[in-house]
Amino acid sequence: MTARTAILISGRGSNMSSLIAAAMEPDYPARIELVLSNRPDAAGLERARAAGIETAVVDHKAFDSREDFDAAMQAVLDEHKIELVCLAGFMRILTDGFIAHWSDRMINIHPSLLPSFKGLNTHKRVLDAGVRIAGCTVHVVRPEMDSGPIIGQAAVPVLPDDTEETLGARVLEAEHVLYPRALALYASGQGRVVSERIVFSGNTASTDSAVFSLPGD
Ligand code: GAR
């Protein structure tokens, strides 16, 4: 079973590119059928086209309400018979109705170790707080922002002379490893939502659990 998957983006799409590359492997359990952006000028659109992936734009500025915008996105996703949605730097707040429709079928990446540092300006707040370990999280999307069952996390040490930029770049590198692994675990059904947590089955032996809390490594 290969899940027909759409990636939703708003910007440069580096996570999108890592998912597209992973999904080109023959055994990967998700196939990227569509990249959808709410911004016509998102750099990721060109990257997706260059990789031979179909793209669509639903410009949020053309809609009077979030409900109408989400309905237009839903129509495009339905047209492509999408089964699974990956948010990858998608910077619009989604309506509860859209999230409910995609319940357990929409996942997101966030550049912190959730539930810490939800929201924007994550790396600045991490540095201000003086925490020693930063990281990133892939989770199933729930109505409350940046929350939901956690599929996987990667830890990234904070270095003494880190700036927002240097820390952000190292976390992004980890994101590019984490997201394809987390999507594979989820799309294959090895990770399932049970009582609002992810339960794993199958071969879950972990060999680098110090860095990734992802079973199956
Ligand atoms: C990534 O760091 C992603 O984790 C973050 O936006 C960036 C998108 O970069 N997402 C969020 O902050 C969502 N709350 P990309 O377009 O190069 O993948």
Side-chain angles (χ1 to χ4, degrees):
M1 251 298 277
T2 315
R4 293 179 62 85
T5 302
I7 305 175
L8 270 52
I9 63 167
S10 299
R12 81 194 142 180
S14 70
N15 277 290
M16 171 207 77
S17 291
S18 74
L19 294 179
I20 290 174
M24 285 182 176
E25 295 299 318
D27 293 343
Y28 199 78
R31 194 167 52 233
I32 311 303
E33 300 288 348
L34 177 72
V35 167
L36 173 57
S37 172
N38 66 306
R39 298 180 58 115
D41 59 349
L45 286 170
E46 195 41 55
R47 298 171 81 157
R49 285 184 207 115
I53 305 291
E54 198 169 329
T55 62
V57 174
V58 178
D59 186 346
H60 64 273
K61 293 198 187 112
F63 297 89
D64 290 334
S65 69
R66 289 192 192 278
E67 284 73 18
D68 289 351
F69 168 65
D70 285 3
M73 285 204 300
Q74 184 65 56
V76 176
L77 296 172
D78 287 346
E79 207 177 290
H80 289 80
K81 300 188 168 43
I82 296 303
E83 299 166 314
L84 191 58
V85 171
C86 292
L87 305 180
F90 184 74
M91 297 316 229
R92 297 296 297 173
I93 291 177
L94 296 163
T95 57
D96 287 357
F98 185 88
I99 292 172
H101 178 89
W102 289 99
S103 187
D104 292 354
R105 298 186 299 143
M106 179 157 63
I107 69 177
N108 179 46
I109 188 156
H110 182 75
S112 78
L113 292 175
L114 293 174
S116 295
F117 303 107
K118 296 175 180 179
L120 298 174
N121 302 316
T122 318
H123 306 305
K124 178 175 187 323
R125 288 184 292 124
V126 160
L127 292 172
D128 288 349
V131 301
R132 299 293 179 216
I133 308 283
C136 48
T137 303
V138 174
H139 65 96
V140 178
V141 174
R142 292 290 183 253
E144 192 197 323
M145 191 185 56
D146 296 329
S147 71
I150 290 172
I151 303 168
Q153 295 185 304
V156 175
V158 179
L159 304 179
D161 53 357
D162 258 337
T163 63
E164 268 182 73
E165 289 70 32
T166 59
L167 177 60
R170 287 205 317 289
V171 171
L172 192 64
E173 256 180 65
E175 292 182 45
H176 296 162
V177 178
L178 175 70
Y179 209 172
R181 292 189 188 194
L183 172 58
L185 285 169
Y186 199 65
S188 67
Q190 279 185 78
R192 289 177 301 112
V193 180
V194 178
S195 304
E196 288 305 275
R197 293 166 75 150
I198 299 292
V199 171
F200 292 99
S201 57
N203 174 17
T204 57
S206 180
T207 53
D208 65 349
S209 58
V211 181
F212 294 100
S213 64
L214 277 172
D217 285 344

